[in-house]
Amino acid sequence: MDAPDRPDGPGPTMLDAVGWALRAPSLHNSQPWRWRVDAAEAALYADPLRRLYETDPDRRDLLVSCGACLHHLHVALAAAGTGVRTVRLPDPEDTDLLAVVTIVDGPADAAEADLWPALPRRRTDRRRYADRPVPGSVLEAVTAAARRHGALLLPVSGQARRAGIDAVLARAADEQRCRPGYLAELMTWTHRYAGAHDGIPAWARPTRPAPRGTGPNRAFPAGRLTATAAAPAEGGVLAVLCTRRDGPEDRLRAGEATSAVLLTAVRAGLATTPLSQALELSATRSVLARDVLHVDAHPQLIVRLGYPVDDRELPATPRRALSAVLAP
C-alpha cells in the first residue's frame, strides 16, 4: 500500500477547510463537534448531544475526538498555504468552546501541509494485520509527530508488555459489558437509522469479534468486514499515546497528536486503528500506566499500526454534511 500522490489541496476558504476537518476519527464515529465559521475564523465546539455518557463518563473521548478534528482543520489550512493562530479553551465559562482558529498573515505550517495527502485516505481499519514488522523509521516518524503536539507515543514492545496490554484490554471489555447503558450505546451507534451519516456501518465491523483476549479491537456487533481467507497471526504494533497531565487541554491536544500520528502512519503506507476502550475506565487506565508502561504519565489512546492482510482500500465511513455541524 504505497503512499498516495499529493491530491489537489482544499479550497481557499475557511469553510472548505472545515469541510475536510469533518473526516476526523471519533468515538463510534459519533462526530461530537459543532463549528461556527466566518471568512477568517472558525470556532470549534463540543456537541454534548453526541457525547456517549456511559462509554465516555469523563468526556475524555469527546475531547480527543474534537482534538483530532481540530488537527484535521490545521492540515487542510496548511495545505491551502494558510497561516493560522489557534487559541485553545478560550473561555473558562464555556466548556464546550474548545478552540478558535484564525487565519493570519504568515507562512503555512510545512509539517502539517505534508500530511495532507493522507487525510482523504485515512480509514479506521479493523481488519487483521499481517505479521510484517513496522519499520523502525516509521515508528520514529509517528513518535516525532506525537511529540510535536506535546504528547508521548510509546510503542509496546516485548511479549510481556504486549500480554499486559492485552490483559488490560480484556479487563476493560469485561467491565464495560456490565455497565448499565454501555451495550445500549454500542447498539445505538452500530445500528443507525437510514440517512444518519454517522456511526459504524456493518461493512466497517468484523464478521465476528476475535475471541476474548486475542485481539485489540472492541467487540462490536457482527458486521461484514472480512480479511483474507488464510490470514496469518495478528501482527502490527500497538502504541500508547500519553500526556504529562490530564486536564481538558491535555485531552484536546492528545486528539491533535492522535490525528498527526494516524496521518503520518497512513502517509507511510500503514493501516491504523485508534483504540480507546482501555482508557474509558479509570481502573484500567491506571493499570496501563503503572503496571504495563511503568510511566508517570496519563494514557489517552492506544493506536494500532500495521499492514492489513487484505490491501484493498476500505470505503470511507459516513460523515454528516457540513451544513449539519454549523452552529447558527
Side-chain angles (χ1 to χ4, degrees):
M1 190 163 59
D2 297 329
D5 295 331
R6 185 183 185 91
D8 293 337
T13 70
M14 180 67 85
L15 199 61
D16 293 326
V18 170
W20 283 103
L22 305 187
R23 295 186 179 226
S26 58
L27 176 64
H28 295 358
N29 193 25
S30 55
Q31 304 169 49
W33 44 66
R34 301 290 303 274
W35 288 92
R36 179 172 284 119
V37 182
D38 62 25
E41 187 173 277
L44 170 63
Y45 291 82
D47 185 346
L49 297 179
R50 288 181 165 265
R51 176 182 165 195
L52 282 68
Y53 282 84
E54 300 303 328
T55 308
D56 182 28
D58 60 0
R59 290 212 330 165
R60 182 182 310 276
D61 284 329
L62 181 145
L63 291 173
V64 171
S65 297
C66 288
C69 191
L70 176 62
H71 181 260
H72 269 45
L73 177 70
H74 288 160
V75 169
L77 289 170
T82 303
V84 300
R85 180 181 68 250
T86 299
V87 180
R88 295 165 183 82
L89 306 181
D91 184 355
E93 301 300 319
D94 186 351
T95 58
D96 287 336
L97 175 57
L98 302 181
V100 176
V101 180
T102 306
I103 293 175
V104 298
D105 291 332
D109 188 317
E112 305 288 45
D114 284 344
L115 297 177
W116 165 253
L119 194 152
R121 294 281 303 276
R122 186 210 63 80
R123 306 285 189 267
T124 294
D125 193 336
R126 300 180 181 88
R127 292 176 293 185
R128 185 177 293 277
Y129 291 177
D131 189 15
R132 172 184 170 189
V134 175
S137 59
V138 176
L139 291 178
E140 291 173 4
V142 295
T143 301
R147 188 166 55 245
R148 189 169 185 269
H149 292 274
L152 305 171
L153 186 71
L154 305 174
V156 177
S157 58
Q159 291 184 347
R161 280 197 171 184
R162 181 56 191 259
I165 202 169
D166 286 344
V168 170
L169 289 163
R171 175 179 170 182
D174 286 344
E175 293 190 12
Q176 279 192 316
R177 276 196 294 268
C178 298
R179 289 178 65 94
Y182 170 78
L183 291 177
E185 282 184 341
L186 192 65
M187 294 300 290
T188 295
W189 291 96
T190 54
H191 293 77
R192 301 298 284 161
Y193 54 89
H197 301 296
D198 55 18
I200 306 174
W203 54 257
R205 307 193 308 267
T207 52
R208 59 182 181 275
R212 181 185 179 280
T214 63
N217 289 329
R218 192 190 300 264
F220 289 107
R224 299 196 301 269
L225 181 64
T226 60
T228 57
E234 171 68 9
V237 172
L238 296 182
V240 184
L241 190 138
C242 304
T243 55
R244 292 297 184 188
R245 295 178 298 276
D246 194 31
E249 183 171 347
D250 303 293
R251 297 173 184 181
L252 186 69
R253 288 185 180 271
E256 296 177 67
T258 296
S259 171
V261 167
L262 298 177
L263 296 180
T264 300
V266 171
R267 191 79 175 93
L270 296 182
T272 63
T273 313
L275 305 167
S276 62
Q277 188 166 27
L279 294 316
E280 291 159 5
L281 301 174
S282 59
T284 51
R285 197 164 57 245
S286 298
V287 170
L288 181 60
R290 184 186 65 242
D291 299 338
V292 178
L293 301 175
H294 307 292
V295 294
D296 183 18
H298 299 273
Q300 302 289 354
L301 198 76
I302 299 172
V303 181
R304 179 175 171 247
L305 308 167
Y307 299 94
V309 296
D310 183 341
D311 62 1
R312 290 175 296 180
E313 187 172 60
L314 296 173
T317 48
R319 289 295 188 275
R320 292 190 294 158
L322 178 60
S323 59
V325 304
L326 294 179

